[in-house]
Amino acid sequence: MGITLDQAEIARVLEGSWSIGASNIASWVDGSRREPHLRFTVAGSEPLVLLEEQTFVASDGKERTITVTNRFAHGRFTSKSRMLGPMSRWTLGGSDAESTVIVIRMTHERGGQDGLLVLVREDAQRTELRANIATNFERFELGPEDFASLTWLPMPE
């Protein structure tokens, strides 16, 4: 499953700043990481390498930033970071027509939690995200169990 795009199109879709609108990954929904923002920048094109900057407010109230290197091969990304623990793999699961809302499916080889991230481009209209996903669940490649597992995060003003 997942969106079938070439590397240039994937870079175009992902590059930029995103908020997490929903997830079922504990660290994003249990309050230990609040006000999450992700920024993807292209660091290489053959193969596609994206640098990802995750900025959030930790449970101690301090802002933290983690940098992740994502390498694309065989239709998926492999992520590495000194701060995040086990290596993860992820794919684009689906998106809206404008690529302003995307779903990422994450898996971990050893340890770590598999799950979903619903990302919303920071400059996009944010109204009725949950209803949009529910109405268009097939476009986002989400089944009923996937949708039911999501926790919806407050969107930044």
Side-chain angles (χ1 to χ4, degrees):
M1 288 197 141
I3 299 174
T4 304
L5 301 171
D6 66 24
Q7 291 185 70
E9 184 66 10
I10 291 170
R12 186 197 66 74
V13 168
L14 287 171
E15 194 165 32
S17 297
W18 301 82
S19 296
I20 299 176
S23 183
N24 59 5
I25 298 173
S27 60
W28 295 119
V29 300
D30 66 4
S32 61
R33 294 182 179 182
R34 298 182 316 276
E35 301 174 35
H37 298 277
L38 283 64
R39 179 167 189 72
F40 292 99
T41 55
V42 175
S45 58
E46 283 297 326
L48 177 60
V49 176
L50 296 175
L51 293 182
E52 174 186 349
E53 219 176 63
Q54 298 179 359
T55 304
F56 55 90
V57 176
S59 55
D60 63 5
K62 295 180 181 175
E63 187 172 278
R64 302 272 196 270
T65 300
I66 297 173
T67 302
V68 181
T69 301
N70 300 287
R71 296 184 191 287
F72 187 76
H74 310 292
R76 65 182 179 193
F77 283 94
T78 301
S79 300
K80 291 184 183 177
S81 171
R82 293 185 303 158
M83 303 280 295
L84 291 179
M87 179 173 36
S88 64
R89 299 188 193 286
W90 57 273
T91 59
L92 292 175
S95 79
D96 63 357
E98 299 81 27
S99 298
T100 58
V101 177
I102 61 173
V103 172
I104 289 179
R105 292 187 170 275
M106 299 194 66
T107 59
H108 291 83
E109 300 260 324
R110 292 166 284 195
Q113 182 185 358
D114 296 350
L116 301 167
L117 292 172
V118 176
L119 301 184
V120 181
R121 191 171 294 281
E122 288 201 344
D123 59 357
Q125 180 75 16
R126 301 178 190 293
T127 57
E128 303 189 25
L129 175 64
R130 185 177 182 154
N132 178 20
I133 300 286
T135 304
N136 300 295
F137 65 92
E138 290 174 336
R139 179 177 193 94
F140 293 100
E141 297 189 11
L142 296 173
E145 297 85 11
D146 292 329
F147 185 81
S149 74
L150 293 171
T151 298
W152 301 88
L153 303 176
M155 296 304 290
E157 298 295 320

